[in-house]
Amino acid sequence: MKLVLAIVGNDDSGMVSAALTKEGFSVTKLATTGGFLKKGNTTFIVGTEDDKVDQVISIIAGQSRRRTQLVPSTTTMDIGVYSAFPVEVTIGGSTIFVLNVDRFEKV
């Protein structure tokens, strides 16, 4: 058995949740926050059999997409003037971890 942890941007979390549930996977959702942009994320926890891990990953990948966003970046000049200029960063998509489960009990 495997435990899939998937960190998905909030923009895609509804579609990911609906797609996993539609395919019969039990899903637990946790509200989380990213450290870089301080944006909201959803962390999905899915327990599944080894042979269904690729299906879970495929569903998550199909429902979460990467985007670019401009974020302000500041620099200082020698005279103490601060200047902000936008920097393009990639957001969205998903980060997925697959862990082995030694024991599972539902009580």
Side-chain angles (χ1 to χ4, degrees):
M1 179 165 239
K2 302 289 186 187
L3 182 68
V4 179
L5 298 174
I7 304 165
V8 178
N10 279 347
D11 293 341
D12 299 325
S13 68
M15 294 181 297
V16 170
S17 179
L20 287 168
T21 302
K22 181 180 176 185
E23 292 298 320
F25 293 101
S26 296
V27 180
T28 299
K29 292 174 38 174
L30 301 173
T32 53
T33 303
F36 177 59
L37 295 175
K38 309 288 190 245
K39 291 279 206 169
N41 296 317
T42 301
T43 299
F44 291 93
I45 302 172
V46 182
T48 189
E49 298 301 324
D50 292 15
D51 61 335
K52 294 189 177 184
V53 169
D54 289 336
Q55 182 183 2
V56 170
I57 292 172
S58 177
I59 291 168
I60 295 167
Q63 299 299 322
S64 58
R65 62 183 183 86
R66 291 181 180 258
R67 312 162 186 69
T68 58
Q69 177 179 336
L70 293 175
V71 296
S73 176
T74 58
T75 61
T76 58
M77 309 282 186
D78 289 338
I79 56 176
V81 176
Y82 292 92
S83 173
F85 59 93
V87 175
E88 189 173 73
V89 296
T90 302
I91 61 168
S94 55
T95 302
I96 302 170
F97 301 91
V98 179
L99 308 163
N100 290 322
V101 175
D102 292 331
R103 183 174 172 177
F104 168 76
E105 290 185 35
K106 198 167 190 174
V107 293

